[in-house]
Amino acid sequence: MGAEMLTKSIMPIFLFLVYSLFEVERQHTLVVTLLNWKSDMMVYHGQIRVISRFLNDFFKKTTDACKGSLKPTSCPLIAQPPKFTVVSGEKMRIGCVWETLACLTSAIMVLNSCTTAAGEVTTCSGIVPMVYRNDKISITDFGGIGDGRTLNTKAFNEAIYRIKHLRRRGGTLLYIPPGVYLTQSFNLTSRMTLYLAKGAVIKATQNTANWPLIAPLASYGRGRERPGGRYISFIHGDGLHDVIITGENGTIDGQGGVWWNMWRRRTLQFTRPNLIEFKDSRGIIISNVIFKNSPFWNIHPVYCSNVVIRHVTILAPPDSPNTDGIDPDSSSHVCIEDSYISTGDDLVARNIWWGV
Ligand SMILES: *[C@@H]1O[C@H](CO)[C@@H](O)[C@H](O)[C@H]1NC(C)=O
Ligand SMILES: *[C@@H]1O[C@H](CO)[C@@H](O)[C@H](O)[C@H]1NC(C)=O
């Protein structure tokens, strides 16, 4: 919090301590009442008006900033900023001073935390800059075939290998043209954009037998559903930075039905795969993509920072087990906005470490 902010937040409290007594009139309306019970502390209406105008400006500014900030949910006052009005008279209600003061202080603290966040970034999506990449490759350059039957695992791996090792300045965009690209799970790399054209579908294979296993997360100590390892997410990112998944609302389809049935029949050996997981990563944008029928959770950022998820659509049948929409997990600066989520379980569930 900057010195200016500090002064701004302490000033009103100080002024009110000295000059006035106020009460919470309606839900979000604080009414300033003149406290002129000490003759040597003459307070004029004008001064109070200045203070209340200052406070109103202050709240308006902070709540406006708050609307575009990282933590809109931490701003309970955002919908209706408190309004200060001046009431003349000599009301004295000593009893409610401390209560009201506590309320005001916490309100200012909440708004301050929003303002601090908003001071660094003006909108939610601004926490990760959208990068435009000059170097572009298409999955078809690597033998990708979008016929819905051909397995494209090799094409994805080779395209991403090329991005990782050629290291073009500014990163590389991998274009997925319209078509249905069946594939096993694959790993992303840093400084890449996975771009799904309109009508492009990246579809997970239903062959669960060959699905790779990875170690459980350290903070869980075991798989989320079953002991031991866990199936790697369909699209996976580990230790990455500057990754964008976007396009013209193409689809990432997990074909989760086979996994849901294994869960229902209790034949799962290990924890089901998430549709997308980023682990120990930063600077991630996921936008304008449709996620469909995830085997388990849809989007799982874990131990990540600076993740923006916006304009996404997440769909799974209402009876599909544990198909959470977005599960930010032990991560910081995760921003989710303007998305449509309809799944079988939680829409957005914030997780923290468990098992430790
Ligand atoms: C994908 O990433 C995981 C986790 O880092 C790793 O265990 C696995 O070997 C990688 N797979 C490939 C094909 O590189
Ligand atoms: C994609 O979907 C999002 C969310 O529904 C929507 O806001 C956006 O306009 C769509 N974009 C395109 C290119 O269709």
Side-chain angles (χ1 to χ4, degrees):
M1 177 161 50
E4 193 197 351
M5 251 3 267
L6 197 69
T7 323
K8 275 189 185 171
S9 52
I10 286 179
M11 274 293 273
I13 299 172
F14 176 73
L15 291 172
F16 273 93
L17 257 180
V18 175
Y19 290 122
S20 62
L21 171 65
F22 45 91
E23 61 186 284
V24 180
E25 188 87 325
R26 263 165 275 124
Q27 202 181 1
H28 285 130
T29 306
L30 301 179
V31 175
V32 180
T33 312
L34 277 175
L35 179 67
N36 52 0
W37 50 285
K38 279 200 170 172
S39 54
D40 56 344
M41 208 187 270
M42 278 299 289
V43 178
Y44 298 103
H45 255 114
Q47 279 173 274
I48 292 293
R49 273 190 212 289
V50 168
I51 296 165
S52 61
R53 197 178 310 134
F54 166 79
L55 278 170
N56 284 333
D57 285 353
F58 169 79
F59 274 99
K60 174 136 185 12
K61 236 169 77 191
T62 45
T63 49
D64 281 351
C66 225
K67 279 173 190 160
S69 89
L70 296 178
K71 307 181 251 181
T73 49
S74 66
C75 306
L77 299 170
I78 211 179
Q80 201 185 348
K83 208 167 160 60
F84 291 85
T85 48
V86 181
V87 173
S88 56
E90 295 174 37
K91 276 199 229 161
M92 275 170 51
R93 300 217 182 137
I94 302 289
C96 69
V97 170
W98 292 113
E99 208 177 298
T100 314
L101 205 60
C103 160
L104 182 69
T105 311
S106 65
I108 288 175
M109 273 164 57
V110 167
L111 288 169
N112 247 340
S113 75
C114 293
T115 316
T116 312
E120 292 150 11
V121 286
T122 46
T123 71
C124 160
S125 47
I127 63 169
V128 184
M130 192 50 130
V131 180
Y132 294 93
R133 315 209 192 262
N134 290 323
D135 187 41
K136 295 185 176 67
I137 56 176
S138 167
I139 194 69
T140 53
D141 303 339
F142 297 83
I145 299 175
D147 62 1
R149 293 197 313 270
T150 310
L151 205 56
N152 290 286
T153 316
K154 194 159 162 280
F156 277 102
N157 284 335
E158 283 179 2
I160 291 165
Y161 183 92
R162 143 78 163 72
I163 298 172
K164 183 172 179 176
H165 293 277
L166 231 52
R167 297 169 64 87
R168 292 287 192 223
R169 199 185 167 81
T172 299
L173 180 145
L174 174 57
Y175 179 78
I176 314 297
V180 180
Y181 298 82
L182 191 70
T183 175
Q184 291 175 329
S185 70
F186 60 90
N187 289 342
L188 299 172
T189 189
S190 293
R191 290 184 306 278
M192 74 170 282
T193 297
L194 179 63
Y195 188 98
L196 289 92
K198 191 176 170 66
V201 181
I202 302 179
K203 204 173 212 180
T205 167
Q206 289 183 295
N207 181 351
T208 59
N210 292 338
W211 204 286
L213 284 170
I214 50 168
L217 291 165
S219 56
Y220 285 46
R222 50 161 284 174
R224 176 72 176 73
E225 292 189 287
R226 307 276 306 155
R230 56 198 189 105
Y231 294 107
I232 195 168
S233 64
F234 175 47
I235 297 181
H236 194 75
D238 190 351
L240 306 187
H241 64 274
D242 183 12
V243 179
I244 301 170
I245 300 178
T246 190
E248 302 149 17
N249 291 341
T251 302
I252 295 175
D253 181 351
Q255 298 216 81
V258 281
W259 296 96
W260 307 334
N261 287 335
M262 280 159 76
W263 180 84
R264 288 175 184 130
R265 295 186 196 122
R266 298 175 192 276
T267 54
L268 266 178
Q269 278 194 297
F270 299 100
T271 301
R272 280 173 285 161
N274 299 308
L275 198 49
I276 292 211
E277 181 174 277
F278 282 101
K279 176 172 161 280
D280 292 307
S281 300
R282 67 194 150 83
I284 310 293
I285 299 178
I286 302 176
S287 73
N288 298 85
V289 180
I290 300 167
F291 296 90
K292 227 169 91 178
N293 297 335
S294 173
F296 192 56
W297 298 345
N298 276 273
I299 305 177
H300 184 218
V302 55
Y303 320 140
C304 286
S305 64
N306 293 66
V307 179
V308 170
I309 300 167
R310 61 200 300 255
H311 300 304
V312 299
T313 302
I314 306 180
L315 305 169
D319 64 345
S320 56
N322 312 99
T323 47
D324 288 11
I326 306 169
D327 286 44
D329 189 346
S330 312
S331 293
S332 64
H333 296 92
V334 178
C335 156
I336 301 165
E337 64 182 7
D338 300 335
S339 292
Y340 178 84
I341 308 178
S342 167
T343 66
D345 204 345
D346 297 337
L347 305 182
V348 175
R350 206 182 58 178
N351 284 293
I352 47 165
W353 300 359
W354 61 282
V356 172

